[in-house]
Amino acid sequence: MLDCGLDMTSTLNFLPLPLVQSPRLSNLPGWSLKDGNAFLDKELKECSGHVFVDSVPEFCLPETELIDLSTVDVILISNYHCMMALPYITEHTGFTGTVYATEPTVQIGRLLMEELVNFIERVPKAQSASLWKNKDIQRLLPSPLKDAVEVSTWRRCYTMQEVNSALSKIQLVGYSQKIELFGAVQVTPLSSGYALGSSNWIIQSHYEKVSYVSGSSLLTTHPQPMDQASLKNSDVLVLTGLTQIPTANPDGMVGEFCSNLALTVRNGGNVLVPCYPSGVIYDLLECLYQYIDSAGLSNIPFYFISPVANSSLEFSQIFAEWLCHNKQSKVYLPEPPFPHAELIQTNKLKHYPSIHGDFSNDFRQPCVVFTGHPSLRFGDVVHFMELWGKSSLNTVIFTEPDFSYLEALAPYQPLAMKCIYCPIDTRLNFIQVSKLLKEVQPLHVVCPEQYTQPPPAQSHRMDLMIDCQPPAMSYRRADVLALPFKRRYEKIEIMPELADSLVPMEIKPGISLATVSAVLHTKDNKHVLQPPPRPAQPTSGKKRKQRVSEDVPDCQVLKPLLSGSIPVEQFVQTLEKHGFSDIKVEDTAKGHIVLLQEAETLIQIEEDSTHIICDNDEMLRVRLRDLVLKFLQKF
Amino acid sequence: MDPECSRLLPALCAVLADPRQPVADDTCLEKLLDWFKKVTEAESSLLLLQENPCLVELLSHVLRPQDVSPRVLSFSLRLAGTFAAQEDCFQYLQQGDLLLGLFGEAGTLGWAAWNVPTVRSGWIQGLSSLAQHPSALHFLADSGAVDTVFSLQGDPSLFVASAASQLLVHILALSMHGEAVEHHSPQGSAWPTCAQKIVGHVEESLRSTAAPQVTQALNVLTTTFGRCHSPWTEVLWEQLSPLVACLLERDPIPAGHSLVDLLLSVARSPVFSSADCGLWETVAQTLSRLSPTQAGPLALGTLKLQHCPQALRTQAFGILLQPLACVLKATTQAPTSPGLLDGTLGGSMTVDALLSSKSACAGLLCQTLAQLEELHPLPHRPSPWPQASLLEAVVTILQLCDGSAAPGSSVGGRLCGTLAGCVRVQRAALDFLGTLSQGTSPQELVPQVFAVLLEYLESPDSSPTVLKKAFQATLGWLLSSPKTPGCSDFGPHIPLFLGELFPVLQKRLCSPCWEVRDSALEFFTNLSRHWGGQADFRQALFSSEAPTLTQQLLRDPESYVRASAVTAMAQLSSQGLHATLASPEHPEAEQGLLREFLNILSADSEGFPRRAVVQVFTQWLRDGHAEVARDTEQFVATVLQVVSQDLDWEVRVQGLELAQVFLTQKLGQPGHCPYTVALPEAPLPRLRPEVLRTLCQPWLLEFAFRALFDCDRPVAQKACNLLLFLRDKTAPYAGTQETGDSPHLDSMEAALQRWQAGEQGQPLGDPEPEAMLAVLRSLDLEGLQGRLAESSDHVEKSPQSLLQDMLATVDILEENEADCY
């Protein structure tokens, strides 16, 4: 199984979970059907024309109906965003396999899960809505609830116990490490340049190679650069995790982010940045580190609020081997690779686990707050939205591309604060993909259907799709694809003592042949040629002999193998020398027929066969056969 | 030649002739050659050689190839050519067979050194210099040099190949020199042998199937028609034009660019201004046959010609417009403005070019936009000028580049994909859009223009260079937008646009990229300068944060931005647009700005902001800015005091400019312009003692005197001019109050002498104005002005110095050699 991401957009249908009692949210009117029937008014609330589920947020799980997940042997994880559904799979499907991921992926993935669990668990909500999920009722609901798919499979968030159990099933791997899977294939993670520890995977047998490219970046940000060279010579390249906002250039967006931030703060407003606790935030803090002095923002406090803020900032500094070259070299100076260390030291950046406690004492405005969750449905961000939403001096800047910012803002309407959308997605865009494919030249590309056509809103942008030859094989949800290659060969090992006994014969310059008589031993998808057992000793007991003959097939004395071709003219001369006369040669489409008219015999010589046809004269046939064999090599 | 040089020359020639004494520096030989050229222009070469036999010895010496380095050989060839340019000297050198030895087939050509490009280049340049008279022509013909020149046209060294072509043209022109005068444009067959030979070679090359040969022939012809405007060139064209026309039959057309150059060269020649001679047909045919990229320059060149048939102009303009027409056609269902799409015959070639690759598409569009931009301001540009269609096209291109266009065809879709994010095209299109603001545009298109400009100003993807161009184009459009008749303010579009512009401007002033902040400030300054008085603009400005942000940028970490912020703030202040300043209840704001500027001037670590501040102060003084007018003397004194300590010479020069303005305001304009008729001198009013005292304030004169001895020449020059002005203006009052040998005068002169010697520590004290004036008069300012006017290397540039340097270098090399052993 390649990755197991969690679709969190389902949470956008739920009301936010406020940290502090919010009169506004708790007093929202219940929703009733057109005919005035109000049986759903406890479950569904209306806010500025949108309807939300008033319940603990639920998540959309990966597809579980198509295959039995207990039969999955291995899960390969590409980056920490793509493992958020892991506890659901490892703990509830009977999964007994192994999960492979790099160390930073696991550690930061754990932080993301921990934050998620914390956000949800610290605001316990007694109510759990399920009535609206009834298919007959769902039909009557307004969009987007009406169109939500697979609502019956939506699940509440997992617990920390489940997270720990899931993560214990992960086997840590390093870049370029070769991992044997049941002898059948070898898998290797490669740096994908997108996030700390993010990987692409190569799955290869001796003669076939499949590359799985997911969430990769060619930009120079903090992670180790993408390893492109190792992706060459792939039979199939499965391509996914491209940028979600192909028209937004990350550099331009960072500039936009900084300008809007400065503009707001200079006017005395506060800036709220809903974000994940790891990833782009490191780059943003680095940009701000360079920018704040030039923009005269040195006195503005930057707050990073997350239950895992401290761990995230500290983890980032210790994964030196997973960082880009520049940052790696800093470690040897020694200096912290990320400049946020200095921001913390100089008190420009302060981090807190939550808005409760120290934060409320230190809180100064105007300020910039980085906090989660980007969906604006849970986490400390909900509090700041409620707090700052009423003033047009404040600004919320969306940098994470995972959620539609308009949908995220829907339960906060009407909103006076300014909203800026600066999605920073460093993953591959289509220009980079086409360069990558030219460089790597896979025989076939497999990708989601969306990548093979321009985005629906910009149907004329032919540049916003994958353009490769042969055209990419596309798939959509629940499609079953047959990858366009066949396994034709297997590698067989030969034991040294058997190899020793071979006597190769050169049949052409540079090509030698030898016959091999051996036992083919196959175990765990490994094939080994072992020397055949010696013929049983005549002195050995009958019982023992029997057992041997059971184990290995009988080794008969083999006839020698023949090779070469028969030169017809010389053959005829030889026949004549041996007393045959009245020889006639006929050319046929496939070779020649030598007719010995006197002996009423026919020798049919073709490229890959020779037939001697004579009636009941075994002596003659053997004579002729020996003459034929003289022209052929035996081994 | 001066005797000192004559004395040094034999030693130098001996050094040059000695292979063991390598000349260290090529530039010395170049300078030497330049000097000889100057000498031979003034004197007889023959006399020079006779008086300095070492020169002939040097030339004879190089005939022994094994003994000469290639660079000395090349030098000698060029030197010989320089001497032989005079016919009597040519004969003199010929007598000793020196020239044949140097330039003939038996000479340099056969030596190993011929493989060195410098030698071949020297050979050609020598011949070029030599070919000035009929004797030289005979020599060229007899020595077989012309054939060698033919072969050198294909030389691997581009310099040699190009020089060979030039030489051919030179020889052709020389051989035809007398002919045209005697016979009126003789036919080709009656031309001198040498000319016939060259023309024959060109004809042969034109017939060749090898593209390089065709290019060589076309280059020779281009130069010929560019340089020679005698009637014989018409005959030459008549003879060769069929061959040129034949090139158009080939596929692909060889040497397209050279062909364009040739046709334009012929068309520009005054010889063809009246005659027809089939040129226009060839141009028309070429326009239709060449690829759009190659045809563009020909079309532009044709349109720039004064005398050109209207039909051809129409065709050429059609070719220039074709790429834009294709873009419009591909993106619009129904064109709104006629004009551009009418003559799009043969557009398929253009479409192919546009779609073939990203670089081809960007290249063609950039070229077209630049060409149209060049054409736009010309008085004889094509008429009617399709302003509306061009606007539509350029707006569409900009939309294609930022992905906001919605093309109606598959070609449009592909164009959209190709051009998306193409910075080159964006820059070219914005440049052209800016240029188009200088024309009358249909009112209904103006909102579209402003919309696309705003898109670019707003877009996070606009690169800093694109943004700068977008700002420039916006300024162009804003300043050219018509005012509503009968109303002092703007038309309907502008207030709306300004309402959207200021938030964008604010954002750009906060950009993390300093280039963007700088461009935004520049734009803001220009806009305020032109529109500071307009109510709509003032309203939009006051409701924005732009002035506050600008003031904050005075402390920007980037010096360029600080400098631009200084200019911007000064502009706002001059027009009462400084937000806090505008309110009468904050009179301290302006003083605050002055203080801030003075602080920058005295404390900023970079030169640019300090220069900007002094410039602003000078302008304020000129304009009588309120803050300056309050106490001008105090203001100037403070500024000059700070400036005098500045390490940047440009700041000091600006300070002197400020002082000059101050003096001018006190004393009146400097002397009459030399080109105006002098008015009868009015009797000068007597300077009042307080004015004189002001002028002779120590802070002013001490600053000027110190600057007079400044180690940077521009500062000293400026100070000298300033003091001259002051001296002239105060001259009439001299003598009336002569101070004689006052102790003040002595101490001042002593101080000045020390300053001149580089000891700047001692102050001037507080002398009487009269003593100041006396010192002023005692200085030889004119002499100093003359000395300062000479370039700093005037001593080193003399020929003696050159010869001595070259000899000295050899000595040093020898010493070094000795050291080694």
Side-chain angles (χ1 to χ4, degrees):
Chain A
M1 181 167 173
L2 301 174
D3 283 329
C4 53
L6 188 61
D7 181 359
M8 297 203 217
T9 53
S10 57
T11 59
L12 293 174
N13 296 297
F14 292 79
L15 270 187
L17 294 180
L19 272 177
V20 183
Q21 173 72 18
S22 160
R24 186 185 71 88
L25 289 173
S26 47
N27 292 332
L28 286 176
W31 183 80
S32 49
L33 290 170
K34 274 180 195 156
D35 58 8
N37 195 334
F39 72 102
L40 281 169
D41 68 345
K42 289 275 182 293
E43 287 197 358
L44 302 181
K45 303 284 179 190
E46 197 167 350
C47 175
S48 299
H50 294 263
V51 177
F52 297 95
V53 182
D54 186 11
S55 163
V56 185
E58 292 177 342
F59 303 98
C60 181
L61 271 51
E63 177 64 53
T64 49
E65 302 295 315
L66 200 62
I67 53 162
D68 179 1
L69 288 176
S70 67
T71 63
V72 170
D73 295 312
V74 167
I75 301 178
L76 303 179
I77 304 289
S78 345
N79 60 64
Y80 44 75
H81 287 297
C82 293
M83 59 184 282
M84 296 299 281
L86 203 57
Y88 293 115
I89 291 168
T90 57
E91 307 310 302
H92 299 288
T93 61
F95 173 82
T96 54
T98 315
V99 184
Y100 289 100
T102 62
E103 189 181 356
T105 303
V106 177
Q107 297 299 354
I108 298 173
R110 176 194 295 276
L111 295 183
L112 292 183
M113 291 180 184
E114 203 179 313
E115 188 192 57
L116 189 66
V117 173
N118 194 307
F119 280 161
I120 305 237
E121 285 185 353
R122 74 182 175 186
V123 201
K125 195 155 187 160
Q127 189 185 354
S128 179
S130 56
L131 207 54
W132 71 277
K133 290 186 184 175
N134 184 312
K135 275 188 181 162
D136 295 328
I137 296 173
Q138 195 194 355
R139 256 203 308 267
L140 306 171
L141 304 180
S143 285
L145 284 176
K146 183 172 69 177
D147 309 317
V149 286
E150 310 269 344
V151 288
S152 57
T153 65
W154 290 9
R155 291 285 173 271
R156 284 173 156 221
C157 188
Y158 33 71
T159 63
M160 216 39 227
Q161 198 183 357
E162 288 169 326
V163 170
N164 288 332
S165 169
L167 295 183
S168 70
K169 296 186 173 70
I170 298 183
Q171 180 117 25
L172 298 185
V173 289
Y175 287 151
S176 303
Q177 184 183 333
K178 293 182 163 60
I179 304 130
E180 282 283 340
L181 296 187
F182 318 108
V185 287
Q186 205 176 48
V187 294
T188 312
L190 305 171
S191 173
S192 78
Y194 166 55
L196 274 176
S198 67
S199 338
N200 291 321
W201 290 88
I202 294 178
I203 305 160
Q204 60 188 340
S205 66
H206 293 299
Y207 297 99
E208 295 83 19
K209 179 172 174 180
V210 176
S211 301
Y212 172 55
V213 173
S214 157
S216 303
S217 175
L218 291 170
L219 302 181
T220 318
T221 55
H222 60 271
Q224 218 181 83
M226 180 180 177
D227 179 355
Q228 295 181 62
S230 308
L231 299 172
K232 285 185 181 172
N233 304 321
S234 299
D235 296 287
V236 172
L237 188 139
V238 183
L239 182 64
T240 177
L242 302 189
T243 174
Q244 302 201 45
I245 323 284
T247 49
N249 162 23
D251 281 341
M253 287 301 159
V254 169
E256 195 77 356
F257 171 81
C258 290
S259 308
N260 284 300
L261 184 144
L263 207 54
T264 305
V265 174
R266 278 177 178 168
N267 283 336
N270 301 295
V271 176
L272 178 62
V273 188
C275 61
Y276 293 115
S278 178
V280 173
I281 187 172
Y282 302 142
D283 297 318
L284 283 181
L285 288 175
E286 186 155 357
C287 288
L288 287 173
Y289 168 78
Q290 293 160 358
Y291 178 64
I292 49 177
D293 287 335
S294 74
L297 303 177
S298 313
N299 298 323
I300 301 297
F302 286 75
Y303 300 119
F304 176 22
I305 304 170
S306 162
V308 296
N310 187 33
S311 321
S312 166
L313 292 173
E314 283 181 3
F315 268 138
S316 64
Q317 305 284 19
I318 59 164
F319 288 124
E321 58 173 303
W322 306 88
L323 292 172
C324 63
H325 178 73
N326 271 352
K327 296 216 179 305
Q328 270 192 32
S329 50
K330 278 194 171 182
V331 179
Y332 297 103
L333 291 178
E335 273 176 22
F338 285 95
H340 57 237
E342 197 184 317
L343 287 176
I344 295 169
Q345 242 170 22
T346 52
N347 263 338
K348 287 177 182 165
L349 174 67
K350 295 180 177 183
H351 54 88
Y352 303 89
S354 129
I355 53 166
H356 301 300
D358 290 345
F359 175 73
S360 35
N361 301 328
D362 299 348
F363 183 47
R364 241 177 347 109
Q365 300 191 75
C367 63
V368 180
V369 171
F370 294 88
T371 188
H373 186 271
S375 66
L376 304 191
R377 293 301 178 269
F378 37 83
D380 302 273
V381 74
V382 178
H383 175 71
F384 288 101
M385 285 303 296
E386 291 289 317
L387 186 71
W388 291 342
K390 296 170 209 83
S391 166
S392 61
L393 282 180
N394 303 324
T395 305
V396 52
I397 308 181
F398 291 87
T399 55
E400 301 288 353
D402 288 352
F403 301 94
S404 146
Y405 78 105
L406 289 174
E407 284 182 47
L409 287 171
Y412 299 95
Q413 299 298 351
L415 196 67
M417 86 193 288
K418 285 193 283 289
C419 303
I420 306 288
Y421 184 53
C422 303
I424 298 170
D425 196 336
T426 57
R427 288 173 287 183
L428 296 176
N429 63 29
F430 290 98
I431 297 171
Q432 291 162 340
V433 164
S434 77
K435 274 189 193 158
L436 176 75
L437 292 180
K438 265 185 203 149
E439 177 77 23
V440 171
Q441 295 198 321
L443 289 183
H444 300 279
V445 175
V446 175
C447 66
E449 192 182 33
Q450 296 93 300
Y451 298 164
T452 59
Q453 53 208 22
Q458 290 162 302
S459 55
H460 61 284
R461 292 291 299 267
M462 306 300 279
D463 55 322
L464 301 183
M465 56 183 270
I466 290 180
D467 182 19
C468 64
Q469 280 308 323
M473 289 179 71
S474 65
Y475 60 86
R476 59 174 87 177
R477 190 189 161 94
D479 265 359
V480 177
L481 281 192
L483 292 187
F485 66 87
K486 274 190 180 162
R487 299 194 66 171
R488 290 170 195 274
Y489 300 104
E490 283 290 347
K491 204 167 199 170
I492 298 178
E493 265 184 47
I494 187 162
M495 297 292 282
E497 54 267 41
L498 176 64
D500 249 3
S501 69
L502 301 182
V503 187
M505 228 171 78
E506 192 167 42
I507 54 154
K508 270 185 194 171
I511 297 178
S512 298
L513 291 181
T515 54
V516 185
S517 302
V519 175
L520 178 65
H521 187 265
T522 296
K523 187 183 171 190
D524 288 347
N525 293 309
K526 290 247 182 278
H527 313 289
V528 182
L529 280 180
Q530 294 173 340
R534 293 201 183 101
Q537 296 297 318
T539 51
S540 59
K542 196 181 169 187
K543 203 173 179 183
R544 188 182 171 86
K545 192 181 169 187
Q546 261 182 349
R547 202 187 312 162
V548 169
S549 63
E550 272 169 22
D551 277 354
V552 293
D554 283 340
C555 295
Q556 294 170 353
V557 180
L558 293 169
K559 289 179 185 172
L561 298 175
L562 302 172
S563 74
S565 59
I566 301 161
V568 179
E569 278 180 28
Q570 286 176 35
F571 179 59
V572 171
Q573 283 168 12
T574 309
L575 288 175
E576 282 170 348
K577 236 183 254 174
H578 283 78
F580 294 99
S581 56
D582 202 11
I583 302 168
K584 201 177 163 192
V585 178
E586 278 177 20
D587 289 348
T588 66
K590 289 181 178 175
H592 309 277
I593 293 174
V594 179
L595 280 171
L596 305 179
Q597 291 180 337
E598 204 174 292
E600 290 184 4
T601 297
L602 191 142
I603 306 167
Q604 202 177 344
I605 303 171
E606 289 177 359
E607 199 183 4
D608 51 0
S609 65
T610 303
H611 290 101
I612 299 168
I613 302 160
C614 59
D615 285 339
N616 297 326
D617 188 348
E618 183 60 10
M619 287 289 286
L620 176 63
R621 190 191 73 79
V622 171
R623 253 181 85 200
L624 287 172
R625 182 199 69 185
D626 291 344
L627 287 177
V628 167
L629 286 178
K630 274 186 186 171
F631 286 94
L632 298 173
Q633 290 170 302
K634 297 176 251 329
F635 54 93
Chain B
M1 185 183 294
D2 74 71
E4 180 58 19
C5 292
S6 258
R7 195 183 62 74
L8 291 168
L9 212 50
L12 182 76
C13 288
V15 166
L16 291 175
D18 187 352
R20 287 167 305 145
Q21 293 182 328
V23 184
D25 186 2
D26 260 352
T27 55
C28 290
L29 292 177
E30 292 298 327
K31 284 180 191 164
L32 201 59
L33 207 64
D34 286 345
W35 173 58
F36 275 118
K37 268 185 196 151
K38 210 182 275 174
V39 171
T40 53
E41 276 165 16
E43 308 174 16
S44 153
S45 302
L46 184 58
L47 218 58
L48 184 71
L49 289 188
Q50 285 166 343
E51 283 171 2
N52 299 286
C54 60
L55 289 170
V56 180
E57 278 166 31
L58 173 67
L59 296 180
S60 316
H61 178 81
V62 297
L63 288 178
R64 274 170 290 170
Q66 65 279 16
D67 286 353
V68 188
S69 76
R71 58 171 74 162
V72 172
L73 177 56
S74 171
F75 165 77
S76 305
L77 287 164
R78 291 157 70 190
L79 188 64
T82 308
F83 291 140
Q86 292 176 15
E87 199 157 7
D88 52 352
C89 192
F90 173 84
Q91 306 292 0
Y92 175 74
L93 290 172
Q94 262 297 67
Q95 282 166 16
D97 273 350
L98 238 174
L99 290 179
L100 210 57
L102 286 168
F103 295 104
E105 275 172 339
T108 327
L109 271 67
W111 303 347
W114 184 251
N115 292 329
V116 182
T118 332
V119 173
R120 300 199 295 277
S121 173
W123 185 86
I124 294 177
Q125 288 180 39
L127 281 183
S128 291
S129 311
L130 171 156
Q132 304 293 340
H133 38 73
S135 309
L137 214 52
H138 292 300
F139 171 76
L140 288 168
D142 299 341
S143 64
V146 176
D147 290 313
T148 313
V149 181
F150 288 158
S151 65
L152 285 176
Q153 278 186 289
D155 198 273
S157 157
L158 286 179
F159 293 105
V160 175
S162 156
S165 292
Q166 308 268 341
L167 178 56
L168 278 185
V169 176
H170 183 69
I171 299 171
L172 179 63
L174 179 68
S175 61
M176 291 304 293
H177 184 58
E179 301 294 324
V181 183
E182 288 166 22
H183 323 287
H184 180 68
S185 355
Q187 287 308 299
S189 53
W191 284 9
T193 328
C194 194
Q196 281 194 37
K197 188 171 181 173
I198 293 172
V199 173
H201 171 72
V202 169
E203 284 179 331
E204 196 183 320
S205 302
L206 284 176
R207 285 194 195 98
S208 162
T209 49
Q213 287 206 19
V214 178
T215 311
Q216 287 163 17
L218 292 173
N219 288 347
V220 167
L221 290 177
T222 305
T223 318
T224 307
F225 291 110
R227 277 196 201 160
C228 310
H229 301 146
S230 306
W232 61 265
T233 51
E234 198 180 333
V235 181
L236 182 66
W237 176 247
E238 270 172 28
Q239 189 175 334
L240 296 182
S241 59
L243 287 175
V244 173
C246 279
L247 295 176
L248 296 173
E249 310 294 321
R250 301 196 205 168
D251 191 24
I253 298 170
H257 288 297
S258 302
L259 184 60
V260 168
D261 289 344
L262 170 64
L263 291 174
L264 288 175
S265 173
V266 177
R268 283 176 196 137
S269 167
V271 178
F272 299 90
S273 59
S274 51
D276 180 0
C277 56
L279 171 67
W280 305 128
E281 287 79 9
T282 314
V283 173
Q285 206 185 346
T286 313
L287 279 173
S288 59
R289 291 274 288 114
L290 284 178
S291 72
T293 322
Q294 287 179 326
L298 181 59
L300 177 68
T302 310
L303 287 167
K304 279 178 164 179
L305 295 171
Q306 302 279 2
H307 54 280
C308 163
Q310 186 54 42
L312 186 61
R313 285 174 67 80
T314 311
Q315 184 191 359
F317 196 42
I319 290 209
L320 274 194
L321 295 177
Q322 230 166 43
L324 301 192
C326 288
V327 168
L328 273 187
K329 205 171 179 180
T331 47
T332 42
Q333 300 292 354
T336 48
S337 319
L340 212 58
L341 299 175
D342 304 342
T344 52
L345 285 175
S348 66
M349 207 152 62
T350 312
V351 174
D352 291 346
L354 284 174
L355 296 182
S356 63
S357 74
K358 188 166 183 152
S359 61
C361 178
L364 180 57
L365 284 179
C366 287
Q367 178 184 294
T368 305
L369 291 165
Q371 285 165 340
L372 287 167
E373 193 183 337
E374 208 178 321
L375 211 53
H376 184 264
L378 296 184
H380 59 281
R381 70 178 188 196
S383 176
W385 180 255
Q387 176 85 2
S389 304
L390 289 174
L391 260 185
E392 258 184 284
V394 78
V395 166
T396 309
I397 289 175
L398 283 170
Q399 285 171 336
L400 286 170
C401 287
D402 76 353
S404 64
S409 66
S410 65
V411 176
R414 284 179 62 188
L415 271 180
C416 194
T418 312
L419 290 176
C422 184
V423 174
R424 260 178 79 200
V425 178
Q426 288 177 348
R427 284 199 300 244
L430 284 166
D431 268 341
F432 185 46
L433 185 63
T435 310
L436 283 177
S437 68
Q438 309 301 317
T440 318
S441 308
Q443 277 305 297
E444 65 274 16
L445 285 179
V446 176
Q448 278 185 43
V449 172
F450 280 126
V452 82
L453 283 171
L454 202 63
E455 248 170 59
Y456 271 78
L457 292 176
E458 228 167 21
S459 166
D461 290 336
S462 296
S463 75
T465 50
V466 168
L467 257 181
K468 191 178 173 73
K469 303 257 179 212
F471 274 129
Q472 285 166 349
T474 308
L475 188 71
W477 277 92
L478 283 175
L479 299 186
S480 69
S481 59
K483 307 240 169 70
T484 317
C487 175
S488 65
D489 254 0
F490 310 113
H493 310 307
I494 306 296
L496 280 176
F497 179 71
L498 286 177
E500 290 175 288
L501 177 69
F502 270 99
V504 176
L505 186 65
Q506 280 168 217
K507 195 177 78 181
R508 294 304 183 188
L509 287 174
C510 295
S511 167
C513 176
W514 72 262
E515 290 94 334
V516 173
R517 298 198 295 274
D518 198 44
S519 321
L521 280 172
E522 196 180 62
F523 169 76
F524 186 37
T525 310
N526 286 326
L527 200 57
S528 311
R529 179 174 302 132
H530 289 98
W531 275 7
Q534 305 286 348
D536 282 338
F537 176 76
R538 294 174 79 93
Q539 195 185 348
L541 181 125
F542 287 137
S543 58
S544 80
E545 296 291 324
T548 322
L549 290 171
T550 306
Q551 187 155 19
Q552 285 173 359
L553 289 177
L554 288 174
R555 290 180 291 281
D556 197 275
E558 184 57 51
S559 63
Y560 297 113
V561 180
R562 292 199 298 278
S564 299
V566 165
T567 319
M569 281 311 293
Q571 188 59 47
L572 292 180
S573 162
S574 298
Q575 297 189 286
L577 294 168
H578 187 188
T580 44
L581 168 106
S583 54
E585 62 270 20
H586 292 295
E588 73 282 359
E590 189 158 357
Q591 282 180 355
L593 189 62
L594 180 67
R595 250 201 314 278
E596 191 144 12
F597 280 181
L598 276 172
N599 192 35
I600 291 173
L601 186 62
S602 54
D604 202 298
S605 57
E606 298 279 340
F608 300 107
R610 304 201 304 268
R611 287 178 209 168
V613 168
V614 193
Q615 273 169 352
V616 163
F617 283 161
T618 310
Q619 195 55 45
W620 279 7
L621 184 63
R622 275 199 191 102
D623 300 347
H625 189 278
E627 183 59 24
V628 175
R630 194 171 296 142
D631 186 350
T632 312
E633 270 171 48
Q634 179 59 36
F635 167 75
V636 177
T638 316
V639 175
L640 291 188
Q641 205 172 0
V642 181
V643 166
S644 64
Q645 307 295 322
D646 206 294
L647 294 175
D648 186 318
W649 68 264
E650 286 196 46
V651 173
R652 299 198 296 278
V653 167
Q654 286 294 334
L656 286 162
E657 178 66 27
L658 179 85
Q660 175 85 51
V661 173
F662 176 68
L663 286 180
T664 311
Q665 286 179 349
K666 292 286 176 195
L667 294 169
Q669 287 300 315
H672 292 297
C673 170
Y675 304 108
T676 56
V677 180
L679 293 169
E681 294 259 336
L684 282 161
R686 187 161 184 79
L687 277 182
R688 280 175 293 144
E690 65 269 21
V691 175
L692 196 62
R693 183 156 288 281
T694 307
L695 296 179
C696 297
Q697 288 279 2
W699 50 260
L700 180 63
L701 277 180
E702 186 168 332
F703 173 66
F705 280 134
R706 278 184 193 273
L708 193 62
F709 304 120
D710 200 289
C711 52
D712 288 301
R713 202 155 59 94
V715 181
Q717 268 181 315
K718 183 95 184 165
C720 192
N721 293 340
L722 179 83
L723 290 171
L724 271 169
F725 168 71
L726 185 62
R727 193 195 65 186
D728 293 349
K729 285 288 179 184
T730 53
Y733 319 107
T736 52
Q737 293 169 318
E738 198 57 69
T739 48
D741 297 331
S742 79
H744 278 309
L745 189 60
D746 290 344
S747 75
M748 269 185 70
E749 280 178 343
L752 288 182
Q753 276 168 9
R754 271 196 294 278
W755 289 359
Q756 195 159 15
E759 297 169 37
Q760 295 268 323
Q762 192 192 357
L764 212 51
D766 192 10
E768 287 297 311
E770 290 74 19
M772 289 278 203
L773 292 180
V775 169
L776 195 58
R777 282 193 297 278
S778 70
L779 288 171
D780 176 18
L781 290 173
E782 279 85 0
L784 189 63
Q785 196 180 30
R787 284 199 296 283
L788 288 168
E790 282 177 331
S791 69
S792 55
D793 64 343
H794 68 279
V795 178
E796 286 74 19
K797 267 168 90 177
S798 71
Q800 289 99 311
S801 163
L802 173 67
L803 298 181
Q804 280 162 348
D805 279 356
M806 288 180 76
L807 288 170
T809 322
V810 174
D811 288 344
I812 291 168
L813 288 173
E814 270 176 2
E815 275 171 29
N816 288 347
E817 199 173 19
D819 283 344
C820 292
Y821 294 97

